[in-house]
Amino acid sequence: MRIARFVQDSDPAFGVVDGDEGQEEIAVIKGDPFFSGVQLTGERHKLEDVRLLAPIIPRSKVVGIGKNYADHAAEMGGEVPPAPLMFLKPNTSVIGPNDPIVLPAFSDEVSYEAELAVVIGRICKDVPLDRVDEVVFGYTCANDLTARDAQRTDGQWARAKGFDTSCPLGPWIETDLDTDDVAVRGYLNGELVQDGNTSAMIWGVKELVSYVSQAFTLLPGDVILTGTPAGVGLISDGERYEVSIEGIGRLSNTARS
């Protein structure tokens, strides 16, 4: 099931996206599916007639995972960490499909990172591996934008990873996805620059959710970014980056100064 957040004429609403590509419709959901479940109102719209928003604005946090692909760790000049390397992005970093990436004035080196994102569906803590599926609401595409110069100089990553618009999410949440073998690709101005697969992740989704939940109480709508494959590079004013994840869809955003 693909659950999107959108706006047409009034306040944001949630809906279920169905139909073949190019002919999708969105069936409106009553209330918030994270708390009320999926209750259809009977109202429907053509997908092309609505504006998609970020499928979720996390209520508390986005947890990022660094260097979770060996090829990316190598291209960044480092070794694979001995345990998942965590950092936080504020919810003010989140934007949706086609929203502009606003390049921060403090950086001259902002790079893209295509990633699979896990969306948490219920409050949880210290989740064992065999119960991770019970706390996951679904999955979406993410771009973990990073100010590389600030990352090098600051000593910690709050500014480099957390600036406004640094976390595009979308286009919707796919609630049914086998994450063991999923293609994760990124396109800069239409050119393939990242071509990875979740099968190459050092720690899989279950391990990451369980590990993160040992440090943080996870709330409905929290997001975990699972790391990026090799091929990261810089994005400049006017350039467009598209994240494509098999079984989910495509997320596209253009950078501006």
Side-chain angles (χ1 to χ4, degrees), residues 233-246:
L234 302 183
I235 187 169
S236 301
D237 181 44
E239 292 189 312
R240 191 165 187 85
Y241 198 72
E242 184 173 76
V243 179
S244 174
I245 298 184
E246 182 181 8

Side-chain angles (χ1 to χ4, degrees), residues 152-171:
R152 288 193 301 269
T153 60
D154 285 4
Q156 51 78 38
W157 297 356
R159 186 170 67 133
K161 291 280 193 179
F163 62 87
D164 288 353
T165 76
S166 66
C167 190
L169 297 176

